[in-house]
Amino acid sequence: MTNPFHYGSPVTGDRFTDRATELRALVTCMLKGQNAVLLSPRRYGKTSLLKRAVQDVRQAKGRSAMVNLIGCSSRRQVAQTLATGIAHEAMGWLDGRTELLREHLARVRAGVSLEVSHTGLTVTLTPASASTDWSDIISDVLRILVRLGARSHPVSLVIDEFQRVAEIDDGLAGVFKTLVDELEQVSLVFAGSKRHLMEELSTGPGAPLLRVGTRISLAPIPEDLMTRFLIARAESAKKELAPAVAAAIYRIARGIPNDVQQLAFWAFEEPGRRITEATAERALDRVVSLQAEDFAENYDKLAPSQQRLLEVLVRGPVADVYSRQMMALVDVANANAIRVALRRLGELELVERTPAGWRVTSVFFERWLLRKAEF
Ligand SMILES: Nc1ncnc2c1ncn2[C@@H]1O[C@H](COP(=O)(O)OP(=O)(O)O)[C@@H](O)[C@H]1O
Ligand SMILES: [Mg+2]
């Protein structure tokens, strides 16, 4: 029996549920030349939502390209990724006429080579000289979008994992900001995780993405919708999942879409026609033991004070992390030591701040921390 649950990579089709409000907002922006900024921690479903939005936009005759900056570590790679993503889609918009595409690309102030293979199309950009400014080239590449649109075919570009630009260099986000103002007819969608980086980019005075467009924050999928989805998916694969058990799975995984589906996936793999609370508990152990090596490796790389802070946070969210009691529990001399440890753990996305206080981000990692002696 095929498992009806899926985690770890974006979901499409009937593996995708809800997000109706966010989807409508995104699609409207993309068809009306409005920019948008989509924010959430990893695993909440940004890429899945973006893919769905692109699909809907295309159905409405919009022209939409989507790129992912996750693999980029230089301005040159950003330029090439953008050029490749745009060229790939433009081939369709130009009815496959490569010579037209080449004309568009010729406006880019760099040597451009187009390689068409069975895996698709790759654009390689060669700088004209050593002093070539990659921000000019990135701008030229994005300007191509303006010419590829038409009244009945609004153009949009989705840039996933946009927080990479902040990791590449300080000025790069500003290049995009300038273009946002210039490319009025084009809808740019900036999506990203690593909350602190996207926050830096989109909030506070002088932040490059401040007010560039509609801001959409993805929260967990609401419990009633997600549990209904789990039940229907289990049923479609001939397993029984009672509402109370679906709710338990949702709560154990804190409603984080990826983690809910991961737990449901492994619960489904347990023997029996019914998924019970006991099944879900066994699945949780299974998930944790499958990841135990990675958890141990990550944990070993941490400084002792960071490890001790984690040990304290696993016992539940802590609102006042800088209290005397915390300093005693973590065994550090001052609040600054906690601040430094917390910042590092936050950068590694191992802890996060919630309304209830600081806590360990992943329920699976938290479970491992609590019981690591057993693994
Ligand atoms: N709309 C959704 N419906 C059902 N599951 C989802 C949805 N969005 C995300 N998920 C779950 O989360 C996982 C990660 O989704 P993804 O889109 O890659 O997240 P992100 O891009 O935010 O890291 C998916 O594999 C799936 O298990
Ligand atoms: Mg993603």
Side-chain angles (χ1 to χ4, degrees):
M1 181 56 73
T2 50
N3 195 312
F5 302 108
H6 182 86
Y7 65 94
S9 56
V11 283
T12 56
D14 54 9
R15 288 169 160 177
F16 179 94
T17 189
D18 184 42
R19 300 303 194 199
T21 313
E22 295 90 346
L23 185 61
R24 212 175 313 126
L26 265 178
V27 171
T28 305
C29 286
M30 290 164 73
L31 289 171
K32 301 279 162 72
Q34 269 295 319
N35 304 309
V37 178
L38 177 66
L39 304 164
S40 84
R42 284 182 315 107
R43 306 170 298 138
Y44 274 55
K46 284 178 303 303
T47 308
S48 305
L49 173 63
L50 294 167
K51 286 189 161 196
R52 181 61 188 269
V54 166
Q55 203 181 324
D56 288 7
V57 164
R58 286 178 186 158
Q59 232 152 42
K61 299 213 162 37
R63 292 179 169 169
S64 193
M66 180 164 167
V67 299
N68 187 323
L69 300 185
I70 196 70
C72 297
S73 47
S74 66
R75 287 187 174 209
R76 179 184 187 156
Q77 285 171 350
V78 170
Q80 288 189 163
T81 302
L82 291 168
T84 298
I86 293 168
H88 178 82
E89 290 310 321
M91 279 298 266
W93 307 338
L94 299 168
D95 299 321
R97 280 178 292 174
T98 322
E99 71 285 0
L100 283 184
L101 180 58
R102 283 186 199 282
E103 273 172 34
H104 283 286
L105 288 168
R107 295 173 184 253
V108 177
R109 282 167 277 178
V112 180
S113 87
L114 253 187
E115 194 191 318
V116 188
S117 72
H118 63 284
T119 53
L121 194 149
T122 311
V123 178
T124 308
L125 300 169
T126 318
S129 73
S131 62
T132 297
D133 187 343
W134 281 101
S135 59
D136 288 341
I137 298 177
I138 290 172
S139 308
D140 292 346
V141 168
L142 291 177
R143 285 185 189 114
I144 296 174
L145 287 170
V146 179
R147 289 176 221 107
L148 287 168
R151 191 174 282 277
S152 54
H153 300 295
V155 173
S156 52
L157 173 69
V158 174
I159 310 179
D160 200 1
E161 305 285 359
F162 187 74
Q163 80 283 346
R164 284 297 303 159
V165 307
E167 294 171 315
I168 293 171
D169 69 64
D170 285 344
L172 185 51
V175 174
F176 284 87
K177 164 70 184 152
T178 310
L179 279 156
V180 163
D181 298 339
E182 186 190 319
L183 309 182
E184 227 183 296
Q185 314 88 310
V186 177
S187 160
L188 295 174
V189 178
F190 301 98
S193 53
K194 285 223 179 165
R195 192 160 258 166
H196 67 285
L197 282 178
M198 280 307 274
E199 290 290 330
E200 261 171 44
L201 290 173
S202 60
T203 44
L209 293 188
L210 184 69
R211 285 190 287 273
V212 306
T214 307
R215 206 181 145 101
I216 303 172
S217 289
L218 270 195
I221 294 171
E223 181 170 330
D224 56 335
L225 293 176
M226 194 66 182
T227 51
R228 252 187 278 154
F229 168 77
L230 295 179
I231 294 165
R233 293 301 285 161
E235 218 165 68
S236 75
K238 309 267 181 297
K239 280 220 188 196
E240 195 186 313
L241 176 62
V245 180
I249 291 176
Y250 182 91
R251 286 182 202 152
I252 293 172
R254 290 189 190 140
I256 294 166
N258 182 82
D259 298 0
V260 173
Q261 287 232 41
Q262 186 168 2
L263 197 54
F265 179 96
W266 289 103
F268 186 90
E269 287 299 308
E270 290 285 321
R273 293 184 63 86
R274 284 178 61 219
I275 300 173
T276 63
E277 295 213 18
T279 324
E281 277 297 322
R282 278 200 301 279
L284 176 58
D285 285 339
R286 183 110 179 251
V287 171
V288 177
S289 66
L290 284 170
Q291 284 176 264
E293 298 260 338
D294 293 336
F295 290 153
E297 203 179 305
N298 289 340
Y299 181 80
D300 284 343
K301 283 188 205 142
L302 301 173
S305 58
Q306 295 161 4
Q307 292 176 338
R308 291 196 304 270
L309 181 53
L310 279 176
E311 308 289 350
V312 175
L313 295 181
V314 290
R315 289 180 226 151
V318 178
D320 188 5
V321 277
Y322 304 118
S323 67
R324 292 208 162 274
Q325 192 201 359
M326 274 300 280
M327 288 184 323
L329 282 170
V330 183
D331 193 14
V332 288
N334 51 47
N336 197 47
I338 294 199
R339 189 168 297 116
V340 171
L342 212 47
R343 189 189 311 138
R344 183 69 192 132
L345 294 175
E347 280 165 5
L348 295 168
E349 297 183 298
L350 295 176
V351 300
E352 65 184 6
R353 194 183 196 155
T354 69
W358 286 90
R359 70 173 182 199
V360 175
T361 311
S362 154
V363 266
F364 305 133
F365 185 46
E366 186 173 272
R367 180 86 162 199
W368 177 84
L369 284 165
L370 281 167
R371 300 176 35 192
K372 56 183 175 315
E374 295 167 39
F375 289 101

